[in-house]
Amino acid sequence: MKKDEQTVGMLDILRNGFWFYFTHNNHEIAAHASGFSGRETIYVDDSKVSTKLSWRFKSGHEFELDGHQYRVVFDVVSIWKGQIACHLYIDDKHVETNEHAMAINNTKLGWKTFFIMFAAGLVFGALSAYLVKLFV
């Protein structure tokens, strides 16, 4: 596992999402990717500079700071490992990458976890369909 990689539990991801931290020119840049809603938010010195909802495997946020063009890119490295990388670019030059993974010791998520998530999706899907049919 790389120095910047961290392994976290699945429940922690659903509850807290993925957090990535960078420092550049005395500015703290924090990037958050929700593990539940797909919302991505970028903060600079605790102020929100970008937010959007994304279910893509790769998405980016751009902002300007101190005359430099910044880009933060979220990249799903592996669905099976629950691994996501966050890349920081400044003036179109790659500066740093941090990674997080839900799988322990960088192994794939097990079939048990897959089926639990699949079953939960079925239950929520059926419940949503029932509620739509009930109220529409």
Side-chain angles (χ1 to χ4, degrees):
M1 188 178 293
K2 296 176 191 163
K3 166 177 95 85
D4 292 334
E5 286 185 67
Q6 294 181 8
T7 303
V8 292
M10 186 183 322
L11 292 177
D12 290 331
I13 293 300
L14 292 176
R15 195 174 20 243
N16 302 323
F18 291 102
W19 281 95
F20 302 92
Y21 300 96
F22 305 97
T23 301
H24 185 259
N25 287 346
N26 294 321
H27 292 288
E28 295 293 324
I29 301 166
H32 178 254
S34 172
F36 184 70
S37 70
R39 177 149 321 272
E40 302 169 349
T41 308
I42 310 300
Y43 301 89
V44 175
D45 299 328
D46 295 325
S47 296
K48 188 185 305 184
V49 296
S50 179
T51 186
K52 70 179 174 182
L53 188 64
S54 176
W55 285 95
R56 298 176 183 240
F57 287 100
K58 189 175 246 184
S59 67
H61 299 257
E62 294 185 6
F63 58 95
E64 190 173 325
L65 180 66
D66 295 340
H68 295 282
Q69 189 64 33
Y70 287 75
R71 184 166 36 112
V72 176
V73 177
F74 291 101
D75 184 15
V76 176
V77 176
S78 171
I79 284 189
W80 285 105
K81 293 178 183 178
Q83 187 174 9
I84 186 170
C86 185
H87 309 279
L88 176 65
Y89 296 86
I90 302 171
D91 297 328
D92 287 329
K93 293 179 186 163
H94 180 261
V95 176
E96 188 175 349
T97 295
N98 292 328
E99 293 186 15
H100 289 297
M102 285 195 295
I104 297 171
N105 294 327
N106 218 15
T107 59
K108 293 181 179 179
L109 295 176
W111 284 104
K112 180 180 176 184
T113 303
F114 174 77
F115 285 120
I116 289 171
M117 294 175 80
F118 181 77
L122 282 177
V123 169
F124 286 116
L127 180 62
S128 297
Y130 173 76
L131 290 174
V132 166
K133 186 177 178 182
L134 185 67
F135 292 109
V136 174

